[in-house]
Amino acid sequence: GEPEVLPTLDSSMLEQLAPGASAVLTEQNLAAAVLLPLRLKEGTAGVLTLLATTLEDCGARDLPLAKAFAETAALALANARLLDEVQTASQAKSDFISFMSHEFRTPLTSIVGYADLLETETAGPLTDQQRRQLSRLRAGAWHLSRLVDEILNFSRETAAAPELELASIDVRQLAVECVQGMRPTAAAQGLALTLRAPPNPLRVRTDAGRVRQILLNLLGNA
């Protein structure tokens, strides 16, 4: 961990060098060395080796400069390691957000599905009070679904390359679901929210989650 001066490189030292290095040193008449450790908080990460024909070739001003260079190199190495750790932690965070977003979507799908089933009165007629409560339930579920979409989109955007989940979907039905989900929110502010769309399905190959997020963002902002 401390600088070391080697006035003479003996044969035992030369034998420890990489193949061919000893011949190069002999050819260039490099017979002395100064070893400067690259010191990090956790210990020595490497050694900066300066070679010369004799120690006299290293002037009085050269050694402090070499020490400063070694300190700078060690700092650069420490920063590179820190950056790698930060990137690894960031990737782990993104993976966790993506995983949790998908896990939230599973029960949300069930909640919305059963709310749709109740609204069709398959299990029996609903009272006006039950319909109002069901409307609030749907509004809350769709609001939570919107938040999950935004979180999932954030995790995708922070990843290396966002991926689209392409599939054939009915954008008309998607629009109906978005309007139904936002209608209670609009009504609470005294706004009427209506949808004008063709009666037949409109099938498009696209990313349903992205389209739903766009529609909900537009409706929410309006």
Side-chain angles (χ1 to χ4, degrees), residues 103-146:
E103 290 300 307
F104 283 143
R105 185 173 299 286
T106 301
L108 271 175
T109 301
S110 298
I111 293 172
V112 174
Y114 278 107
D116 291 340
L117 191 63
L118 288 173
E119 194 173 44
T120 61
E121 297 185 327
T122 302
L126 300 174
T127 64
D128 291 341
Q129 182 181 12
Q130 288 173 331
R131 286 190 176 278
R132 287 194 297 270
Q133 293 173 344
L134 182 59
S135 177
R136 295 190 183 98
L137 172 64
R138 287 178 57 87
W142 277 105
H143 179 65
L144 186 56
S145 178
R146 180 185 178 187

Side-chain angles (χ1 to χ4, degrees), residues 1 36-40 43-48 69-75 77:
L36 300 167
L38 303 179
R39 289 181 291 195
L40 305 179
T44 302
V47 178
L48 173 64
F69 183 80
E71 293 173 357
T72 303
L75 179 61
L77 181 59

Side-chain angles (χ1 to χ4, degrees), residues 73 168 194:
S168 178
T194 59

Side-chain angles (χ1 to χ4, degrees), residues 41-211:
K41 289 183 178 180
E42 59 272 20
T44 302
V47 178
L48 173 64
T49 304
L50 304 180
L51 298 167
T53 54
T54 63
L55 287 181
E56 286 74 14
D57 292 337
C58 298
R61 293 177 298 177
D62 295 335
L63 194 56
L65 180 61
K67 289 182 178 179
F69 183 80
E71 293 173 357
T72 303
L75 179 61
L77 181 59
N79 289 338
R81 290 184 175 182
L82 180 61
L83 177 61
D84 183 64
E85 293 175 0
V86 169
Q87 289 175 336
T88 301
S90 178
Q91 182 61 46
K93 178 200 67 176
S94 298
D95 292 342
F96 174 77
I97 292 176
S98 178
F99 172 78
M100 292 305 299
S101 298
H102 284 293
E103 290 300 307
F104 283 143
R105 185 173 299 286
T106 301
L108 271 175
T109 301
S110 298
I111 293 172
V112 174
Y114 278 107
D116 291 340
L117 191 63
L118 288 173
E119 194 173 44
T120 61
E121 297 185 327
T122 302
L126 300 174
T127 64
D128 291 341
Q129 182 181 12
Q130 288 173 331
R131 286 190 176 278
R132 287 194 297 270
Q133 293 173 344
L134 182 59
S135 177
R136 295 190 183 98
L137 172 64
R138 287 178 57 87
W142 277 105
H143 179 65
L144 186 56
S145 178
R146 180 185 178 187
L147 293 178
V148 171
D149 281 337
E150 291 177 351
I151 294 173
L152 185 57
N153 181 68
F154 171 78
S155 68
R156 287 173 174 171
E157 295 299 335
T158 54
E163 295 182 0
L164 295 178
E165 299 178 2
L166 299 179
S168 178
I169 66 169
D170 180 6
V171 291
R172 178 191 178 280
Q173 180 60 31
L174 190 63
V176 169
E177 295 172 359
C178 290
V179 168
Q180 289 177 346
M182 293 297 294
R183 185 171 283 131
T185 303
Q189 301 184 43
L191 301 174
L193 181 57
T194 59
L195 173 65
R196 288 192 291 269
N200 298 323
L202 298 174
R203 305 208 67 83
V204 175
R205 181 172 173 79
T206 185
D207 187 320
R210 292 295 181 92
V211 174

